[in-house]
Amino acid sequence: MDTTHSTTLLFHNTMRITDGHLEEFREAIRRAVDFTREHGPQLMVEVFLDEERMLAHSFQLYADSESVLLHWKLSDPYIQGVMEHCEVRAFEVYGEPSRAVLDGLDPARADFPVTFHPRMAGFTRPLGPR
């Protein structure tokens, strides 16, 4: 069994919150996460705030590239709502996305660094009681 291959993708998005927009950013993030919890394909979404530096870190775990594409399709209005209050400083992709996801994250077209980190090893434990 090949234990190094996985279609799982982890995204880490670092955002700089626009000065004077912290509360609006918080609300936009809450709306986006609430929508995603109900309708999105992500296995996990976590957002962390560094208020001192006005930075936010979003982590999203996907089962595969098709889940990423579905997320983009469903969540675009919520993503745009968040982006009204911040700018992306860096975007990191952990795993091996499909060509369609790579095209959507094309570093040559982005206004921020996009980096890719191939998977070496690991596993995802199912949530719930053991």
Side-chain angles (χ1 to χ4, degrees), residues 11-30:
F11 288 179
H12 175 202
N13 180 6
T14 303
M15 298 160 279
R16 168 74 169 80
I17 303 163
T18 305
D19 290 337
H21 286 243
L22 180 58
E23 289 312 311
E24 294 90 343
F25 177 81
R26 286 181 196 263
E27 279 304 310
I29 286 289
R30 282 187 196 110

Side-chain angles (χ1 to χ4, degrees), residues 4 7 10 25 35 38 40 43 61-62 64 72 79 83 85 97 99 102 107-108 117 129:
T4 61
T7 58
L10 177 65
F25 177 81
F35 174 83
E38 292 298 317
L43 301 172
L61 182 64
Y62 297 90
D64 52 33
W72 289 345
I79 295 167
M83 296 311 300
H85 307 291
R99 172 53 50 199
L102 285 170
H117 308 280

